[in-house]
Amino acid sequence: MRRFLTLILILVSVHGYAEAPYSGGATTVFKEDHNAYSMPAKNLSLVSRESFFVGNAFFTNPWVAAPATVSTRDGLGPLFNANACQSCHIKDGRGRPPAKGEAFTSMLIKIGSTAVGQGDSGYGTQFHLLSIPGVEAEGSVSLEWQSYSWTSEAGETFHLRKPHYRFSELKYGELEDTSFFGGRTAPAMIGLGLLEAVPEDSLIALEAAQARLGVSGRIHWLYDQTNNQKVAGRFGWKASQPSVKKQAAIAFAEDMGLTSSVVPESNCQPQQLDCVAAPEGGDPEVSDQILELVSFYSSTLAVPARRNIEDPMVIAGELRFQQVGCNSCHTETLMTGDQSSIAELRQQEIHPYTDLLLHDLGEGLSDQNNEGNVSGLEWRTAPLWGIGLLQAVNGHQQLLHDGRARGVEEAILWHGGEAKASRRAYLSLGPEQRQELLQFVESL
């Protein structure tokens, strides 16, 4: 009998270790190099893989100004920040702030307004640093870092930094006094379709469970004019878009100046007369077929597997992660439903370490940039899956919405508001215990 029980325990143990690495369920890939974020979901069928690689071509290849001989990829701008999706999402990974002397490539400047909540009347909701010939770009932006020291309640001193943006050569008038602006780095693309496939009922249940625990996470409810109903926001730093397709259409419009059936309006402001008069690349410029292919590609990028799961420090670090309350918002396990249009994403147990909810993270992270009914204090919980491979993929570890955190620990130290208690609990740990927690996060 004892031998039988021992065998059962061994089998359970092996099964547990076999399941633990699969952050994206059956979509998970075991890849740890610079291509770790760029692989198709492991379980894609041959037909789906064909769509994936065609979508990848439209995601990667640049668009050009109209008119052009390549009619399927013309219409860029007139004002834009990138000429291809891959320009910002380099290797499908996370963007970063520019180093001194560099151009803004994988980071943009978002504009909001306290007056109308719709951006600046002269520049809209995004500042555009590039333009096609014959049209003036909106101006220039430089980034400077303000360094300062922060002392914890226990007397420890930490060195942090905060971005400061300086505008110059403004071509369409001064920014309004009511406008606020802040940097937004491009997020990693992995696992987006899985996050979209999590049922709204699961998010509602998470919101209710957190409320009972005194955590104020909330769904960003959006109005879907197509179906005349409210839908949960999931994507973007403020959970401002409900689906991968809508997020892709917004990026085409705001980042590249490309219209689609989802966003048919140009990003030109009324007083930008040269922009308004510039030639277009069709109506719409991004066809429904291309939008669907790019959305499919974006939805089926695989999540890389966890690593070092048997390392004693990683195992201990998971307990520390829970002990300090990080998992109150960075929810470990979610389940996708059966409503996704992509069969391979249905009914998957996933481990994204996000609740997709908005949380008040305090004044320290606020740039006063309200988006609709979301305040500058509120941010969607960022998924943590794949974070330990960021250095391998993109060669940096600059985190948070504007890349101010130079690693996981600095990101934790910036957490205020309703996350202040977790930050305090983290700081109450000893140096070795903190390192365990950080090693666990690096394993994700």
Side-chain angles (χ1 to χ4, degrees):
M1 185 66 176
R2 180 178 298 174
R3 190 173 297 173
F4 175 76
L5 289 174
T6 301
L7 178 60
I8 291 294
L9 288 172
I10 291 172
L11 289 172
V12 169
S13 176
V14 170
H15 177 73
Y17 280 125
E19 292 296 311
Y22 290 84
S23 298
T27 73
T28 307
V29 294
F30 287 78
K31 192 76 170 174
E32 299 182 18
D33 62 13
H34 62 282
N35 289 318
Y37 294 166
S38 298
M39 305 301 295
K42 180 70 174 178
N43 62 341
L44 283 187
S45 67
L46 290 177
V47 174
S48 293
R49 283 176 178 268
E50 182 178 350
S51 296
F52 175 91
F53 288 111
V54 175
N56 178 39
F58 283 107
F59 188 90
T60 304
N61 292 332
W63 291 70
V64 296
T69 55
V70 186
S71 59
T72 55
R73 278 202 295 270
D74 72 342
L76 176 69
L79 298 170
F80 61 98
N81 280 316
N83 64 359
C85 306
Q86 188 79 12
S87 298
C88 291
H89 301 279
I90 301 168
K91 298 178 184 175
D92 304 292
R94 183 188 290 265
R96 62 170 176 82
K100 189 173 183 178
E102 281 186 339
F104 283 71
T105 53
S106 56
M107 180 183 190
L108 56 85
I109 303 297
K110 190 77 173 174
I111 307 174
S113 173
T114 57
V116 294
Q118 296 298 321
D120 187 272
S121 62
Y123 295 92
T125 58
Q126 187 170 310
F127 196 78
H128 296 100
L129 298 168
L130 302 173
S131 62
I132 64 172
V135 177
E136 288 190 304
E138 293 180 330
S140 299
V141 180
S142 60
L143 167 63
E144 298 174 358
W145 292 106
Q146 297 175 336
S147 300
Y148 67 96
S149 298
W150 176 78
T151 303
S152 70
E153 296 174 2
E156 291 181 276
T157 299
F158 299 92
H159 302 285
L160 302 177
R161 65 176 188 172
K162 190 173 185 178
H164 176 72
Y165 307 98
R166 191 181 303 278
F167 293 85
S168 60
E169 304 177 79
L170 293 171
K171 302 301 183 183
Y172 301 97
E174 295 299 314
L175 288 162
E176 296 173 322
D177 292 339
T178 53
S179 295
F180 294 93
F181 46 86
R184 299 287 186 272
T185 58
M189 300 292 294
I190 56 175
L192 299 185
L194 294 168
L195 295 178
E196 183 177 344
V198 176
E200 279 188 359
D201 286 348
S202 298
L203 304 186
I204 293 171
L206 278 172
E207 185 182 56
Q210 289 185 3
R212 290 193 295 270
L213 296 173
V215 180
S216 59
R218 70 179 182 93
I219 297 171
H220 185 189
W221 288 110
L222 306 165
Y223 180 68
D224 184 355
Q225 294 180 331
T226 305
N227 300 316
N228 195 31
Q229 62 183 18
K230 66 178 185 178
V231 293
R234 301 165 187 261
F235 302 110
W237 290 104
K238 301 284 189 179
S240 298
Q241 304 306 330
S243 67
V244 176
K245 182 178 179 179
K246 184 67 181 293
Q247 179 68 26
I250 291 292
F252 272 126
E254 295 187 354
D255 301 353
M256 292 185 277
L258 295 165
T259 60
S260 65
S261 60
V262 177
V263 186
E265 303 85 8
S266 165
N267 65 358
C268 300
Q269 301 305 305
Q271 67 271 40
Q272 296 173 337
L273 301 181
D274 52 354
C275 182
V276 173
E280 299 178 352
D283 186 20
E285 292 162 327
V286 180
S287 69
D288 287 346
Q289 181 184 21
I290 291 176
L291 181 58
E292 289 293 343
L293 285 166
V294 170
S295 300
F296 184 87
Y297 171 77
S298 302
S299 296
T300 53
L301 281 161
V303 179
R306 281 191 60 194
R307 299 154 313 287
N308 305 322
I309 61 172
E310 298 183 32
D311 186 321
M313 284 194 71
V314 170
I315 295 170
E318 183 170 10
L319 296 177
R320 304 299 179 199
F321 187 85
Q322 297 166 356
Q323 176 186 341
V324 304
C326 297
N327 62 331
S328 297
C329 304
H330 291 283
T331 304
E332 175 188 6
T333 303
L334 296 172
M335 190 78 189
T336 67
D338 56 9
Q339 299 302 310
S340 175
S341 61
I342 302 172
E344 292 91 340
L345 305 182
R346 299 172 193 160
Q347 295 298 321
Q348 298 295 324
E349 181 179 288
I350 61 175
H351 307 287
Y353 289 86
T354 179
D355 55 13
L356 297 175
L357 304 181
L358 294 170
H359 293 272
D360 175 353
L361 294 185
E363 291 286 352
L365 285 176
S366 175
D367 51 21
Q368 299 181 298
N369 196 337
N370 302 337
E371 293 186 28
N373 67 341
V374 182
S375 78
L377 302 171
E378 293 179 295
W379 302 94
R380 184 202 68 160
T381 304
L384 297 182
W385 52 11
I387 193 171
L389 291 169
L390 179 58
Q391 183 70 44
V393 175
N394 294 123
H396 71 85
Q397 208 173 30
Q398 299 182 61
L399 306 175
L400 299 179
H401 63 282
D402 53 13
R404 68 177 66 187
R406 294 160 295 190
V408 176
E409 181 168 74
E410 283 193 20
I412 294 171
L413 295 178
W414 274 108
H415 280 55
E418 64 183 270
K420 190 175 182 179
S422 290
R423 182 184 68 191
R424 186 183 297 116
Y426 172 79
L427 290 170
S428 71
L429 298 174
E432 184 177 342
Q433 294 171 326
R434 289 183 206 165
Q435 192 58 40
E436 290 170 348
L437 189 152
L438 297 176
Q439 285 285 93
F440 166 70
V441 174
E442 289 288 334
S443 79
L444 298 179

